[in-house]
């Protein structure tokens, strides 16, 4: 599911007018989760050293890919990420009466039977992230 969410975030950033740099960051901004796991923000704050490790890994991703997203790129990615997170909460916990944000590309738009890794690599290729 993580790779579908990253794909949706990347495409959502694109539909919101994001630069190529922003789209690339949209695809890779949570790359550290491949090694550290996806931890909810409230829990993350209570884990000593987690954010330091996350920052170091994300720095390594930026260095390895040569990405230097601007502050505006990062804000756009954060906005899309937050919207997709709220969308997923509303889908997975409908009894909580959460409002589903309007998205151009939702994770549910991506066929769950599609090979997520292949989809991710295809998008990375499209963005010249090789």
């Amino acid at each position: 599911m993580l790779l579908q969410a990253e794909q949706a975030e990347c495409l959502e950033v694109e539909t919101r007018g994001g630069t190529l740099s922003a789209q690339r960051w949209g695809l890779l901004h949570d790359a550290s989760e491949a090694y550290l796991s996806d931890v909810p923000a409230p829990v993350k704050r209570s884990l000593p050293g987690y954010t330091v490790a996350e920052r170091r890994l994300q720095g390594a991703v930026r260095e390895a890919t040569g990405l230097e997203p601007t502050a505006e790129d990062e804000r756009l990615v954060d906005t899309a990420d937050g919207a997709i997170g709220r969308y997923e909460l509303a889908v997975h916990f409908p009894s909580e009466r959460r409002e589903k944000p309007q998205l151009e590309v939702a994770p549910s738009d991506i066929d769950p039977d599609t090979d997520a890794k292949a989809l991710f690599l295809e998008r990375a290729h499209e963005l010249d992230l090789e």
Side-chain angles (χ1 to χ4, degrees):
M1 181 61 183
L2 175 63
L3 292 177
Q4 279 99 339
E6 298 313 318
Q7 176 78 3
E9 288 172 19
C10 177
L11 294 170
E12 186 67 23
V13 167
E14 180 181 21
T15 64
R16 293 178 182 214
T19 64
L20 183 58
S21 175
Q23 292 172 54
R24 288 172 173 161
W25 189 239
L27 192 63
L28 295 174
H29 78 281
D30 282 334
S32 62
E33 292 175 2
Y35 300 96
L36 297 175
S37 279
D38 185 7
V39 177
V43 175
K44 204 181 276 191
R45 288 189 291 269
S46 69
L47 296 173
Y50 183 93
T51 55
V52 172
E54 182 179 48
R55 230 181 348 264
R56 286 184 62 206
L57 277 169
Q58 285 304 108
V61 168
R62 287 180 188 226
E63 186 177 320
T65 59
L67 283 179
E68 294 182 20
T70 65
E72 185 176 329
D73 291 340
E74 290 187 4
R75 277 192 298 276
L76 180 57
V77 169
D78 288 345
T79 299
D81 185 41
I84 287 176
R86 289 189 306 282
Y87 178 91
E88 289 176 329
L89 274 173
V91 167
H92 296 297
F93 299 99
S95 64
E96 300 292 322
R97 300 186 199 274
R98 298 181 196 282
E99 187 174 326
K100 235 189 274 184
Q102 187 67 30
L103 299 173
E104 293 297 321
V105 181
S108 60
D109 294 338
I110 298 171
D111 183 357
D113 294 329
T114 303
D115 179 21
K117 180 179 176 181
L119 196 63
F120 181 90
L121 292 173
E122 178 183 318
R123 186 62 179 160
H125 178 73
E126 290 169 2
L127 297 173
D128 293 323
L129 278 171
E130 299 194 60

